[in-house]
Amino acid sequence: MADVDVGTAEAKRAKAMWEKAGASAYRVTQIFTGPHLGQWLFELDFEDLAHFQKCREAALKSGEMATIQAANAKAGNKMESRELLLALAI
């Protein structure tokens, strides 16, 4: 995170955007050890993949995602990777 102030402000905007789109939870943690030291990890919860797709489409349609990404890019903040994890209730 090159600019923590911008990253924090945009993370708050992203939280509002994803919650409005239907995400059931939005968490941010910072990694303190290993090769990803200092990176922020964003976790969003959705009911299932269909719900994720519906929320993603709503977020993209709102236009907020583009402005959040642009503000972060201008500040030098960048996404290192993106992963989708599926939890199993067993």
Side-chain angles (χ1 to χ4, degrees), residues 59-71:
L60 288 169
K61 187 177 179 181
S62 76
E64 279 292 300
M65 188 176 294
T67 60
I68 290 166
Q69 290 172 338

Side-chain angles (χ1 to χ4, degrees), residues 44 49 83-87:
L44 290 81
L49 284 176
E83 307 293 334
L84 293 178
L85 305 173
L86 300 175

Side-chain angles (χ1 to χ4, degrees), residues 30-86:
Q30 187 175 18
I31 300 170
F32 284 96
T33 61
H36 303 292
L37 175 68
Q39 291 184 16
W40 290 13
L41 175 67
F42 294 83
E43 297 176 62
L44 290 81
D45 290 346
F46 303 95
E47 295 170 12
D48 53 31
L49 284 176
H51 183 240
F52 164 69
Q53 183 62 27
K54 180 180 175 184
C55 295
R56 183 178 173 277
E57 288 171 1
L60 288 169
K61 187 177 179 181
S62 76
E64 279 292 300
M65 188 176 294
T67 60
I68 290 166
Q69 290 172 338
N72 273 310
K74 184 177 179 181
N77 300 334
K78 62 180 182 174
M79 183 186 313
E80 294 292 331
S81 66
R82 180 181 308 177
E83 307 293 334
L84 293 178
L85 305 173
L86 300 175

